Amino acid sequence: IREVDAIIHMIRCFESDDIQNVNPNIDPVRDLEIIETEMKLADLESIQKRLDKKNKKNSSENEINILETALNSINNDKDVEEILNKNYSKKELHQTGLLSTKPKLFVCNVDEESISEGNKYAKAFIDKFGEKNTIIISADIENQINQLEGEEKTNYMKMINLKETGLNTLIKKGYQLLQLETFFTSGPEESRAWTVPANCSAPKAAGIIHTDFEKGFIRAEVIAYHDFISFGSEQACRDNGKLSVEGKEYVVQDGDIM
């Protein structure tokens, strides 16, 4: 788990006699605070080991500074993630492997009846932790949707007034949280989607496909996603002046077809 880029917390926000709960009542705020405390304790143990005289020599000065700052924050019950993100880059924090610094996404798992507007448990959670990185889904409904296809799936989602599956919502939120975007390549044999950091240059994007493409990059033919959908094909985009030739300074936009 220390190697992941982000952590998703699946929070129970429903009552059920069929699914056992280790606690006497449903309290998503308490449940998350317990997990967060366990993660801090795990970080504390890791930090203390790495700052031990025997192991300290294996760490860079910058890493030691991060670990000492994190240790001080945990010991004084301060917001570790907020303090470290203000002073260090994401790359530096990722290299430490500290769980407390990972971006987090919260998934409130509600009962079927509460999928549209949530329930009192989801509301209490959002009141405490905010809605920016919180989504509401129903695992039961997701399971039912996954067993349906085509028109049957569309009709079921309309019936329960669900515009988008929880999985799609989760993927979009995850991309936003990690500041990622997608571009596409398409040819006679296949079309593929590639994930890149936001504000990625065209050569760097080419390097995601193959390192040689970045080294030898000269230019790229680009069609915006909405133009491709509107006109329906590469040739139609060419004919209507919607294909552009971009150089090394071009910043890839989400959905670009290159």
Side-chain angles (χ1 to χ4, degrees):
I1 189 173
R2 292 193 182 278
E3 301 302 317
V4 302
D5 294 318
I7 295 172
I8 298 175
H9 289 287
M10 188 78 164
I11 312 295
R12 177 170 177 164
C13 294
F14 64 91
E15 296 177 359
S16 174
D17 295 330
D18 298 327
I19 302 175
Q20 187 178 7
N21 186 11
V22 294
N23 295 303
N25 63 321
I26 306 299
D27 187 342
V29 173
R30 174 205 59 209
D31 292 347
L32 179 64
E33 288 176 341
I34 289 172
I35 296 299
E36 293 276 276
T37 299
E38 291 177 351
M39 288 168 59
K40 284 183 180 180
L41 291 174
D43 277 346
L44 191 60
E45 183 180 358
S46 173
I47 292 168
Q48 289 171 337
K49 285 181 180 179
R50 290 154 73 180
L51 289 179
D52 185 85
K53 288 182 179 179
K54 297 177 182 178
N55 302 318
K56 206 170 183 179
K57 60 184 179 182
N58 297 323
S59 301
S60 66
E61 183 179 346
N62 191 54
E63 186 176 351
I64 290 171
N65 289 337
I66 294 174
L67 295 175
E68 288 177 341
T69 303
L71 181 62
N72 180 65
S73 300
I74 293 172
N75 286 336
N76 291 283
D77 198 26
K78 295 180 179 179
D79 191 326
V80 185
E81 185 179 357
E82 182 180 354
I83 292 171
L84 291 179
N85 278 317
K86 281 183 179 178
N87 297 288
Y88 301 97
S89 69
K90 290 183 179 181
K91 184 178 180 180
E92 290 172 324
L93 295 179
H94 183 73
Q95 289 172 343
T96 66
L98 295 177
L99 301 175
S100 304
T101 68
K102 304 286 186 186
K104 298 172 183 66
L105 189 59
F106 308 115
V107 180
C108 291
N109 183 19
V110 300
D111 53 273
E112 294 184 28
E113 291 74 20
S114 306
I115 188 60
S116 296
E117 300 179 2
N119 55 25
K120 62 180 181 180
Y121 301 118
K123 184 179 183 303
F125 185 88
I126 291 172
D127 286 345
K128 174 72 174 179
F129 296 102
E131 60 182 358
K132 181 181 178 183
N133 291 327
T134 303
I135 64 173
I136 296 174
I137 71 165
S138 168
D140 277 346
I141 287 178
E142 289 299 304
N143 184 47
Q144 293 175 45
I145 290 174
N146 287 338
Q147 296 177 35
L148 302 175
E149 293 183 2
E151 188 176 346
E152 193 177 10
K153 180 177 180 178
T154 302
N155 291 338
Y156 177 70
M157 290 177 65
K158 284 182 180 178
M159 183 182 72
I160 60 175
N161 197 30
L162 190 66
K163 295 180 180 178
E164 188 173 50
T165 65
L167 178 60
N168 284 351
T169 303
L170 179 61
I171 291 170
K172 288 181 179 179
K173 275 285 188 180
Y175 266 61
Q176 292 171 10
L177 183 69
L178 294 173
Q179 296 180 312
L180 299 174
E181 294 180 343
T182 300
F183 76 93
F184 300 92
T185 55
S186 187
E189 294 183 3
E190 66 171 4
S191 295
R192 288 192 61 175
W194 306 88
T195 301
V196 293
N199 301 314
C200 181
S201 68
K204 290 289 183 185
I208 298 293
I209 302 172
H210 197 288
T211 52
D212 288 345
F213 291 175
E214 180 178 357
K215 295 174 185 176
F217 183 89
I218 300 174
R219 62 183 180 273
E221 293 183 337
V222 181
I223 301 172
Y225 178 80
H226 62 85
D227 287 333
F228 190 87
I229 295 300
S230 296
F231 291 100
S233 71
E234 177 186 342
Q235 189 58 51
C237 288
R238 284 180 185 274
D239 295 341
N240 287 276
K242 296 300 182 180
L243 183 147
S244 61
V245 178
E246 305 291 351
K248 294 181 179 180
E249 301 303 316
Y250 179 72
V251 176
V252 175
Q253 303 300 304
D254 193 31
D256 275 353
I257 298 161
M258 305 177 72

